[in-house]
Amino acid sequence: MNLEEFDYYLPPEQIAQHPSDKRDEARLMIVNKETGDYEEKHFYDIIDYLNPGDCLVMNDTRVIPARLFGHREGKNEKIEVFLLSKTGSEDEWEVLVKPGKKMKLGNICIISDELKCEVKKIIPESGNRIVKFYYDGNFSKIIEKVGNVPLPPYIKEKLEDSERYQTVYSKNEGSVAAPTAGLHFTKELLNRIRQKGVKLAFVTLDVGIGTFRPVKEEKIEEHEMHSEHYYISEEAAKIINDTKKSGRRVIAVGTTSTRTLEGSFKKLGKISADNDKTDIFIYPGYKYKVVDAMITNFHLPKSSLIMMISAFSDLKIIKKVYEKAVEDKFMFFSFGDAMFLY
C-alpha cells in the first residue's frame, strides 16, 4: 500500500493544545467498523455502548519525567538528555542527547547536585547514547524532582498540571508518551463501568519515542517498526481469556493496549502471562486475533497508528470518518477527542 493513502487534511487549529476541562467531557464518535455508520456523543456516554461481561483492556503505564537538562562537566552550554529506555544494565539508559556533538564518549553531563551521567557508548545508526547515571538516593524520586514530563512535538503550549498527561490508573513507570485514549476516563466513570458488570484488565506497554516516528517509506510494507516493552499478568490474561470464552467483547483502550494484545498473541498464539518486547506493525490486511472493539483518539496523517485502525475497520471508512470529524470540528491527537470503533 502507498503512504499517500493514509494522508488527510487537518486544520492546525484542530490540534488540541490542552485537555478538555473535565476528562470525560471530550467528544466521542461512535463508529460501526463494518458500515461506517456513526453517532456523535461525549466520552461519558461510552458506558451506554458497553455491555455486562465485556472487558476493557487498559494500559497502566506511567509517563516518566524523561526530559533532563544539564551541562557538560566543566562547560556552561545547555545539554538535554532525553530518556528512551533502560538497557538492562544497572543504571544504564539509552538516551537522546541534544546537541549530540557536545556529548562524546566518556563525557559527563551534570544534571543536578544529585544526578549526573556519563556517555558509555554511541549508537552509530541512530546517534543515540548509552549513558550510565550516578546519583545519591532514589533515581525515580530524583528525576521526578529535576525532570520534565515530555509532551508530543505538536503540543506547543505549556501544560499547567502534568497529571493531565497521565491516566487516572497509571501505575508502572516507563513511558515517554501517554496512552492517550485512556486520558478520557475518570475514576467515577470507571466505577460506573464496573458497576455495570464490565471487567477491567490492566496490561503495561512502555510507550517509546518511536510512537512519534513517521512512516517515510512510500510502500508502507517496507517500514521498520520500533519495538516496545510490554507486560501481561496472569490475572489480566485470565480475565481476557474468560471474556473470549464467554463470547463477550475484548475492548482495547488505545493503540498501545491493542499492540500489547496482538503482539503477544502473534508470538505465543494465545493470550497468557508474558513479559517481552513487540515490534508488531499492524496495517490493512492484518486480521485481528484478540481485539473486538477499540477506543482510540484521532491520529496523525501517515502514522502507523492510523494504519492500525484502518486495519481494524476499513481505510475508506476511516478516511470518511476523519473527514467528518474535521468537518464537525472534533479535536485531534493526544489531548483531542475520541472514537469508539465496534
Side-chain angles (χ1 to χ4, degrees), residues 150-191:
L151 292 176
Y154 46 75
I155 295 177
K156 309 297 183 186
E157 298 182 22
K158 186 179 178 182
L159 179 64
E160 296 300 329
D161 178 6
S162 62
E163 279 302 305
R164 290 304 308 273
Y165 195 57
Q166 307 277 11
T167 63
V168 296
Y169 47 82
S170 65
K171 182 173 70 171
N172 296 311
E173 294 183 339
S175 286
V176 300
T180 54
L183 295 178
H184 302 293
F185 287 94
T186 64
K187 290 181 179 179
E188 294 76 16
L189 179 58
L190 287 173
N191 286 336

Side-chain angles (χ1 to χ4, degrees), residues 57-87:
V57 181
M58 317 180 90
N59 182 6
D60 64 6
T61 191
R62 186 167 176 83
V63 183
I64 59 174
R67 296 185 75 196
L68 306 172
F69 294 96
H71 60 89
R72 188 152 52 110
E73 191 173 45
K75 304 288 182 180
N76 290 323
E77 70 265 12
K78 188 177 182 181
I79 301 286
E80 178 182 351
V81 177
F82 191 105
L83 303 177
L84 296 177
S85 60
K86 293 179 182 177
T87 65

Side-chain angles (χ1 to χ4, degrees), residues 168-216:
V168 296
Y169 47 82
S170 65
K171 182 173 70 171
N172 296 311
E173 294 183 339
S175 286
V176 300
T180 54
L183 295 178
H184 302 293
F185 287 94
T186 64
K187 290 181 179 179
E188 294 76 16
L189 179 58
L190 287 173
N191 286 336
R192 289 173 56 217
I193 287 170
R194 284 191 187 97
Q195 290 165 8
K196 189 173 182 178
V198 177
K199 295 173 283 186
L200 305 184
F202 293 96
V203 299
T204 305
L205 181 131
D206 294 331
V207 188
I209 200 168
T211 195
F212 299 116
R213 181 184 164 204
V215 176
K216 294 181 179 178

Side-chain angles (χ1 to χ4, degrees), residues 298-315:
F298 293 91
H299 302 293
L300 277 74
K302 300 183 180 180
S303 66
S304 64
L305 304 181
I306 196 171
M307 294 170 190
M308 179 188 287
I309 64 165
S310 297
F312 188 68
S313 174
D314 176 85
L315 178 56

